[in-house]
Amino acid sequence: MPLKESAFLILSALAAGPTHGYGIMKDVEQQSGGAVRLRPGTLYAVLAELVDGGLIEIDSEEVVQSRLRRNYRLTAPGARQLATEADRRRAAADTAGRRLRTSGLLAGGGAA
């Protein structure tokens, strides 16, 4: 089953190494060029789904400024899912690019 964009970007963030929620939020924003900005409620809901699915796990926990900070990491099944999804998205983008190049729709600056 294809991943939602937020889950894909979170897995991609964690492919760089374990990090905490705020680090994931910033990485996702950077990866998407600012197009995706996860709110804490959305982030932690998706993290819970990914943990439940075995795609990520809690790497460590620490108390920072009287608050619990969890660091998450990608699991082997999560890495496989991320690779599969990256391949699927790449193939779809390649198909779209080929179709646009052969359609002539972009030759005049776009469709009317």
Side-chain angles (χ1 to χ4, degrees):
M1 177 188 267
L3 292 170
K4 295 177 189 173
E5 184 173 20
S6 57
F8 176 76
L9 292 170
I10 289 169
L11 293 179
S12 179
L14 292 173
T19 193
H20 50 79
Y22 184 74
I24 294 168
M25 287 170 51
K26 287 300 178 188
D27 191 288
V28 164
E29 186 175 341
Q30 185 273 326
Q31 284 184 71
S32 68
V36 178
R37 293 183 178 172
L38 296 175
R39 294 177 186 251
T42 301
L43 171 68
Y44 289 104
V46 176
L47 287 173
E49 290 175 10
L50 294 172
V51 167
D52 289 345
L55 301 180
I56 66 172
E57 61 190 10
I58 296 170
D59 182 63
S60 64
E61 296 179 326
E62 60 185 328
V63 176
V64 177
Q65 297 178 348
S66 301
R67 297 179 71 190
L68 181 65
R69 176 184 286 175
R70 286 191 175 129
N71 290 295
Y72 297 88
R73 71 180 170 108
L74 192 61
T75 62
R80 287 190 296 273
Q81 181 70 33
L82 178 60
T84 297
E85 183 68 10
D87 288 344
R88 185 189 71 78
R89 289 174 182 234
R90 188 177 304 108
D94 288 348
T95 298
R98 275 193 309 278
R99 289 177 176 174
L100 283 169
R101 285 188 298 278
T102 60
S103 71
L105 290 173
L106 296 181

